Amino acid sequence: MAAAERRRPENDESREGRSDSDMELNDDQIIERTLAGETDAFSLLVRRWERPIYGLSFRMLGKDEDARDVCQETFLAAFRNLRKFRGEARFSSWLYRIALNACHTKLRKQNSVQEHSIDYEDDDGRKYEIADTDVEQMPDRMQRDQRAAMVRKALHALPGEMRQVIIMKEYEELTFAEISEILEIPVSTVKSRLYTGLQQMRGRLEKLRGAL
Amino acid sequence: MKTPEKNIIEGCDRKEDLIGYIYEELSAIERSSFERHLAGCPTCSEETRAFGRVRDDLSTWQVGFTPQTEFQPPRGKWSVFFELVGMFPFWARGVALAAAAMILATFSFGAWQMLTGGGKTPTTEISSAAVEAMIQEAVAKERFKLMEDFKTEMAGLKERINAENESRLQSVKADQDARIKTLQAGFQSELRKVNRQNSSIRSFFAMDDSQEPWGGTR
Ligand SMILES: [Zn+2]
């Protein structure tokens, strides 16, 4: 599972605008078809991108329910505005940008309603499944769960602009150029945010470890 | 001789190279240049190791759940509208038309308010709250009905049974409790679903085409 999520070859392919095989349509071709009136074609894009969009949203928001909402809003907004997508950026970059905006809107709402807690949904196993489910390796798994919980805590304490860069780089495995395209900031800014973000993560993780 | 701590405080101006290096996004030339630097820079080599540990920690957080985003291409407002009207029996269509007109008016009013900036609270909040209130009312009504049924059943039972039937009474009560719980759980999940659908429907109706959802993430 871990390897599958981290590698995700199909997305790497479509990011380049190429297709998985000659038989499969790339993002731009699907968009063309959708715009030509074949609206069902759009569901191919949903299937292709829902996982990364969900992953990004879930890690940004920490709640399954919110991440699903963002997924739905993102694809609906993309569909409705497809004509305005002019292919200057990759479709995926545009989609990520819509999703991040939806995440920030949700975060602002969360913060205005209550102090954002990332822990209170943890009892639902679905919220963060650990890839390794082998019962034999329970102690190992528990240790991993603990580390993952610390990571979540540390990440959510980061300022949003650093958190989103870390999430895009570490989990979505986007290149600096892609992140720069999504956020519309220079590559050097992406790198410096990543640097500061990792530094802060280091400090926070050390502190959390010390508290154990 | 400088201590590593001193160097960390001083920092090093090759932070961007360091980031490029640990994420393997340097060209061959850049990489060998940075590797030469790394060998003689305690700050960078210490940080490279520390960031490696952070990245190792980060990799423990895996999200193994894939949602099946329910996406149906939104149809034109009128086709949705006529399908809705068609769902009602003939005699009720007039009523349905009036109700639909009211809903549309509410949405339009919301959009108008948003455009004219009337009130600081987004209208979407109000309609979401309204839907929630409606559902909560329905839950309360249903719960009241169940309680009433229960009371009637209790009253009937009390007349008929005597002391040895006490256990049966208990089991009926437990049964009723369970039914109420299931009902509540069902309604709660419905409420969440409706809220989600409601938000898509709202964004569908209220979306202002001039608003660009992808604008400004900085
Ligand atoms: Zn250095």
Side-chain angles (χ1 to χ4, degrees):
Chain A
M1 187 77 85
E5 195 198 35
R6 293 186 70 80
R7 249 176 256 132
R8 252 189 5 252
E10 71 279 9
N11 292 335
D12 292 338
E13 295 275 336
S14 39
R15 237 182 253 145
E16 307 290 319
R18 283 181 277 124
S19 53
D20 282 0
S21 67
D22 291 346
M23 300 299 287
E24 208 172 301
L25 298 168
N26 68 32
D27 291 353
D28 293 336
Q29 289 169 318
I30 297 173
I31 291 166
E32 243 169 67
R33 291 205 180 184
T34 310
L35 288 176
E38 215 182 297
T39 51
D40 286 344
F42 192 76
S43 61
L44 292 173
L45 288 174
V46 177
R47 288 287 93 82
R48 186 173 291 171
W49 291 104
E50 67 174 339
R51 186 190 175 110
I53 294 296
Y54 173 82
L56 174 82
S57 315
F58 180 72
R59 288 192 171 98
M60 282 299 289
L61 302 167
K63 284 193 212 164
D64 171 67
E65 202 68 29
D66 288 348
R68 282 161 174 273
D69 285 348
V70 165
C71 255
Q72 197 128 9
E73 284 167 26
T74 300
F75 287 110
L76 193 68
F79 182 84
R80 285 189 53 90
N81 293 283
L82 207 53
R83 267 177 215 291
K84 293 182 190 167
F85 171 67
R86 287 175 199 91
E88 291 144 6
R90 270 164 285 243
F91 171 72
S92 57
S93 297
W94 186 63
L95 208 56
Y96 274 123
R97 203 181 302 163
I98 297 174
L100 279 174
N101 279 317
C103 285
H104 289 303
T105 307
K106 268 222 148 52
L107 282 171
R108 273 196 297 274
K109 258 187 210 169
Q110 278 178 2
N111 290 334
S112 67
V113 174
Q114 58 179 77
E115 176 99 354
H116 177 50
S117 160
I118 55 152
D119 295 323
Y120 71 94
E121 276 203 348
D122 284 2
D123 38 344
D124 187 339
R126 208 170 57 169
K127 304 304 184 233
Y128 71 106
E129 266 177 26
I130 301 300
D132 186 5
T133 47
D134 194 345
V135 189
E136 303 280 337
Q137 298 176 325
M138 228 19 206
D140 209 43
R141 196 198 142 157
M142 269 161 64
Q143 200 207 350
R144 244 188 340 157
D145 279 5
Q146 212 170 33
R147 281 173 81 191
M150 280 197 311
V151 165
R152 291 183 60 157
K153 218 176 198 151
L155 259 180
H156 278 260
L158 281 191
E161 59 177 28
M162 282 160 209
R163 181 172 9 140
Q164 66 189 7
V165 173
I166 290 184
I167 291 170
M168 282 189 274
K169 190 68 198 155
E170 283 293 336
Y171 301 109
E172 299 304 316
E173 298 186 326
L174 301 173
T175 63
F176 296 129
E178 285 167 330
I179 300 172
S180 137
E181 184 175 84
I182 293 164
L183 298 176
E184 298 176 296
I185 56 175
V187 166
S188 63
T189 310
V190 174
K191 287 182 179 170
S192 66
R193 281 188 191 174
L194 201 49
Y195 178 86
T196 316
L198 288 178
Q199 243 184 355
Q200 292 198 8
M201 279 299 284
R202 177 192 178 181
R204 284 171 205 276
L205 287 168
E206 276 167 7
K207 217 177 258 176
L208 286 169
R209 275 220 170 78
L212 276 178
Chain B
M1 188 188 135
K2 285 181 185 174
T3 61
E5 283 76 18
K6 190 145 185 276
N7 264 304
I8 291 161
I9 292 160
E10 281 169 1
C12 174
D13 61 357
R14 298 197 64 172
K15 290 169 185 167
E16 284 185 24
D17 287 340
L18 187 145
I19 289 295
Y21 177 74
I22 64 171
Y23 287 102
E24 294 173 33
E25 275 198 54
L26 291 184
S27 69
I29 297 164
E30 289 168 330
R31 194 177 61 232
S32 57
S33 150
F34 186 72
E35 276 167 350
R36 274 196 303 279
H37 168 80
L38 205 55
C41 177
T43 310
C44 286
S45 48
E46 195 272 345
E47 219 146 43
T48 303
R49 278 193 301 274
F51 286 176
R53 286 193 298 274
V54 171
R55 295 192 61 203
D56 199 43
D57 279 337
L58 282 166
S59 72
T60 59
W61 185 18
Q62 294 298 324
V63 177
F65 177 66
T66 307
Q68 292 285 305
T69 307
E70 293 154 31
F71 182 81
Q72 280 177 339
R75 290 161 304 160
K77 288 173 193 178
W78 289 113
S79 91
V80 175
F81 177 69
F82 284 119
E83 191 182 310
L84 271 172
V85 171
M87 278 160 62
F88 289 90
F90 186 72
W91 59 268
R93 284 181 199 179
V95 183
L97 272 164
M102 269 186 70
I103 292 167
L104 273 177
T106 313
F107 274 122
S108 321
F109 180 66
W112 175 76
Q113 263 204 330
M114 261 163 74
L115 284 172
T116 53
K120 280 205 168 166
T121 328
T123 332
T124 50
E125 283 306 302
I126 298 163
S127 51
S128 169
V131 169
E132 219 158 293
M134 268 163 65
I135 285 163
Q136 260 151 18
E137 197 190 339
V139 173
K141 257 188 200 162
E142 210 44 46
R143 199 191 284 163
F144 179 75
K145 223 177 92 195
L146 266 178
M147 285 308 288
E148 284 300 300
D149 290 353
F150 174 56
K151 272 186 205 157
T152 320
E153 203 166 334
M154 279 280 280
L157 271 174
K158 263 183 192 159
E159 279 170 23
R160 275 184 278 121
I161 60 167
N162 43 31
E164 71 242 29
N165 277 337
E166 188 65 25
S167 65
R168 193 178 153 220
L169 188 68
Q170 287 299 324
S171 95
V172 171
K173 192 180 183 306
D175 185 44
Q176 288 286 356
D177 284 348
R179 270 169 69 189
I180 288 172
K181 252 186 204 158
T182 319
L183 189 80
Q184 263 180 306
F187 268 114
Q188 259 151 21
S189 103
E190 277 307 303
L191 176 66
R192 279 199 298 273
K193 223 192 278 171
V194 167
N195 268 341
R196 201 157 50 233
Q197 279 166 358
N198 187 40
S199 92
S200 335
I201 293 168
R202 262 188 284 116
S203 45
F204 169 48
F205 276 103
M207 193 175 288
D208 168 11
D209 283 339
S210 67
Q211 264 177 358
E212 304 209 334
W214 55 89
T217 29
R218 278 168 222 228

